[in-house]
Amino acid sequence: MPPESDSQDVQKARTFFQYGNEAALKSNLDYAIDMYKQACKLAPDSLIFRQALRGVQRRKFNNEPSKVGRLAGARNQPIRMRARSARNKNNYSQCLEVCEEAFTNNPWDVATAREAAESAEMLSYFPLAQWYLESVQSEVGAKDAEFFRHAGHVHELNEAWQKAIASWEQVKKIDPYDEDANRKINGLSASATIKRAKLEDQLDETKKPDTTAEDIASKLESMKQEKLTPEERLQKAIKEDPTQVWPYLELADIFRKRSQFETAEKILGQGIKAVPKDPMLLQAYAEVQTTRLKRAVDALAKRVADQPDDVTSKGKLDQLSKLLLDYEVKELRRRVALSPEDSSLHYQLGLVLAKDGKHGDAIGEFQIAKNSPNLKVQALHQAGLSFEADGRHKLAERTYQEALKALDPADTVNFNALHYQLGRVAENLGNMEAAEEHYNEVAANDYTYLDVAQRLRNLN
């Protein structure tokens, strides 16, 4: 962080950071994001503040990039243009602030991460620039050589020679005719050798007669720290103070990014043993467990789809799917009990209960969630589906009509979905004229929507 002249800003930043932590513990994610953004604005080079902000932004999508909406790219394009404009005017800190708006829409946005990394580099925040790129690398396309060229350059600035070499190896793999790749790899290998030689020289200095034992110990400790990997540093922090929560979370996150969920689970389990009631550890542990179960379910589902006659796999799939649902219900109930005012948690719980066939309980959760203006339409839509599943078609009709009244006129996606369901309900109630009207509303927007064309033909 910047030195003494900025100490007042740093103190304010830490206060905002603490507010963000408290909000995150209560799953008040929007407020947490706002507080972390304020902290980053006051201390733009703080890697810890940025990591906390990104972690909460990703929690809004259950740490699943696939849950980012399709419109996020379109929303982020003008934001990136503003960020680039600020960077072109040398307003690098402003560029980082603008980029955070885009990360709120999509915390895995590769283009935004590159924009932010360039500004961080211009501010000489080299570790931050490196983190921006590493945090989205799992989402980079297999043929994006330009990203790896950029990553190689930033790793070199950080003297992370092996990472830089690996990035240029990737460039070489994607573009075998890149003339710079071999030259860069050779140069980086030489730099790594020179650094090792300097370390050996430092060791030789400790053998001089006028060097005190304290000097030797200090130099050796400094060299040890330089050689430690991030994982080793975090393990060291855990060993020194097992009651600190953040090293467990950061260490587990490293392994999560590598898809080593079993290792991440063990680390978080170790943290829960040391600090049994910490909400952040409990939530992170639950997220890892859920991800592991989901991946196992997806793998079995693919196997069953490929081999429909595999009765054993189908039985395992049913068993594991039920286990996953039970676990999700239990975890969401725990989180709702801690933050009963969080409408998004009630909505998520409602979705899981509905999936489990517990529609009566799901409706109760959706009716709480509809009090949030941002969730009203989706919550009413889902409540209507659960009313239908319970055979209460009149209540479903009433709920869908309420959702239509709250709908944004430009929201054709939900407009079509609600009118389609109203058409289905009208058919079930024997009101064919009303059903036709609703299906016509959908057909006027999208004649290929589900089976609406066939249903209109059947009615006529």
Side-chain angles (χ1 to χ4, degrees):
M1 287 191 192
E4 298 139 40
S5 60
D6 292 337
S7 59
Q8 195 173 3
D9 280 350
V10 171
Q11 287 301 322
K12 286 181 184 176
R14 286 175 181 154
T15 302
F16 281 123
F17 181 65
Q18 186 57 40
Y19 289 154
N21 288 343
E22 290 166 5
L25 287 173
K26 295 175 183 175
S27 292
N28 189 351
L29 302 185
D30 290 329
Y31 185 67
I33 287 170
D34 187 42
M35 291 298 98
Y36 287 143
K37 279 183 178 178
Q38 294 293 339
C40 291
K41 186 175 180 179
L42 291 165
D45 62 331
S46 172
L47 191 51
I48 291 173
F49 294 174
R50 295 280 175 194
Q51 288 172 330
L53 172 57
R54 196 73 72 255
V56 173
Q57 287 167 327
R58 289 181 175 184
R59 271 175 62 189
K60 286 199 77 173
F61 298 95
N62 288 334
N63 293 304
E64 290 286 346
S66 60
K67 292 191 177 177
V68 174
R70 292 179 184 177
L71 295 176
R75 286 200 298 267
N76 277 357
Q77 193 170 356
I79 297 173
R80 281 198 300 273
M81 286 176 69
R82 282 197 288 122
R84 194 170 300 121
S85 173
R87 180 167 61 81
N88 290 339
K89 294 173 185 174
N90 300 332
N91 294 330
Y92 303 120
S93 292
Q94 185 187 347
C95 175
L96 296 183
E97 286 178 41
V98 175
C99 284
E100 290 304 341
E101 293 178 36
F103 284 128
T104 300
N105 294 330
N106 178 7
W108 295 272
D109 193 316
V110 175
T112 303
R114 291 195 59 194
E115 196 69 50
E118 287 187 25
S119 282
E121 179 187 337
M122 296 307 295
L123 289 164
S124 296
Y125 301 160
F126 300 143
L128 183 61
Q130 185 178 42
W131 171 77
Y132 272 124
L133 297 180
E134 289 186 319
S135 69
V136 298
Q137 189 164 321
S138 60
E139 303 305 309
V140 175
K143 297 188 180 296
D144 191 351
E146 199 53 46
F147 175 89
F148 290 102
R149 289 187 185 99
H150 189 180
H153 165 69
V154 171
H155 289 315
E156 184 177 356
L157 289 174
N158 284 277
E159 297 189 1
W161 312 118
Q162 294 307 316
K163 288 183 178 181
I165 290 168
S167 293
W168 281 103
E169 290 282 8
Q170 191 66 28
V171 172
K172 189 177 170 183
K173 184 178 175 183
I174 297 167
D175 182 3
Y177 300 105
D178 188 302
E179 295 177 0
D180 286 334
N182 281 328
R183 182 175 57 79
K184 291 297 294 184
I185 290 166
N186 292 335
L188 290 162
S189 298
S191 297
T193 303
I194 290 166
K195 185 172 183 181
R196 278 197 300 272
K198 284 181 179 176
L199 286 171
E200 286 167 7
D201 289 344
Q202 286 178 5
L203 276 171
D204 288 340
E205 282 180 25
T206 63
K207 296 172 185 176
K208 290 180 181 178
D210 58 341
T211 306
T212 66
E214 288 80 4
D215 289 338
I216 293 171
S218 175
K219 280 191 178 181
L220 287 172
E221 182 60 29
S222 173
M223 288 162 65
K224 261 191 222 173
Q225 287 296 329
E226 281 182 25
K227 293 178 80 174
L228 288 177
T229 64
E231 296 95 310
E232 287 168 338
R233 285 196 192 97
L234 291 166
Q235 288 285 13
K236 188 171 182 287
I238 289 168
K239 192 174 180 181
E240 287 171 356
D241 183 0
T243 61
Q244 285 191 107
V245 170
W246 66 269
Y248 296 108
L249 294 170
E250 288 193 19
L251 185 57
D253 198 47
I254 287 172
F255 288 103
R256 282 171 71 172
K257 285 173 183 171
R258 296 174 185 164
S259 297
Q260 293 175 260
F261 297 103
E262 192 171 343
T263 305
E265 184 185 324
K266 284 177 183 174
I267 291 160
L268 293 166
Q270 183 187 347
I272 291 167
K273 194 174 179 181
V275 194
K277 294 183 180 179
D278 184 82
M280 290 184 79
L281 283 172
L282 289 170
Q283 183 167 325
Y285 184 83
E287 285 169 359
V288 169
Q289 284 275 60
T290 303
T291 304
R292 281 188 68 196
L293 284 167
K294 280 180 179 174
R295 291 197 170 210
V297 166
D298 290 345
L300 276 169
K302 188 175 184 304
R303 190 186 303 170
V304 169
D306 292 340
Q307 302 172 23
D309 298 329
D310 187 345
V311 180
T312 305
S313 292
K314 190 176 185 312
K316 283 182 182 176
L317 176 60
D318 293 341
Q319 187 181 8
L320 208 56
S321 298
K322 177 61 178 165
L323 184 65
L324 173 60
L325 277 173
D326 290 345
Y327 189 85
E328 287 182 308
V329 168
K330 183 182 175 183
E331 172 57 17
L332 282 165
R333 285 197 189 281
R334 183 189 71 79
R335 290 172 62 187
V336 164
L338 287 173
S339 306
E341 75 291 344
D342 190 331
S343 298
S344 66
L345 287 177
H346 286 284
Y347 180 72
Q348 289 172 48
L349 178 55
L351 290 175
V352 176
L353 288 167
K355 192 174 178 182
D356 199 20
K358 297 173 182 173
H359 292 287
D361 291 342
I363 289 164
E365 299 300 327
F366 292 135
Q367 287 176 334
I368 295 170
K370 76 174 184 178
N371 294 320
S372 165
N374 293 332
L375 288 170
K376 186 167 186 176
V377 172
Q378 299 99 304
L380 286 167
H381 183 191
Q382 295 299 328
L385 292 172
S386 283
F387 276 128
E388 275 196 81
D390 259 7
R392 289 178 277 182
H393 300 294
K394 278 283 186 186
L395 282 170
E397 183 179 48
R398 182 174 171 177
T399 305
Y400 293 139
Q401 292 285 10
E402 187 182 348
L404 274 176
K405 288 175 187 174
L407 196 63
D408 185 322
D411 188 352
T412 55
V413 173
N414 281 312
F415 180 90
N416 289 342
L418 289 166
H419 274 293
Y420 179 81
Q421 290 305 137
L422 279 164
R424 295 288 299 268
V425 167
E427 280 196 77
N428 282 315
L429 293 171
N431 190 346
M432 301 308 168
E433 188 177 341
E436 186 175 3
E437 285 178 13
H438 289 300
Y439 290 145
N440 278 332
E441 291 285 354
V442 179
N445 278 330
D446 182 0
Y447 194 66
T448 65
Y449 187 89
L450 299 178
D451 61 346
V452 75
Q454 184 60 50
R455 286 185 175 276
L456 280 170
R457 280 194 289 272
N458 292 344
L459 287 172
N460 291 319

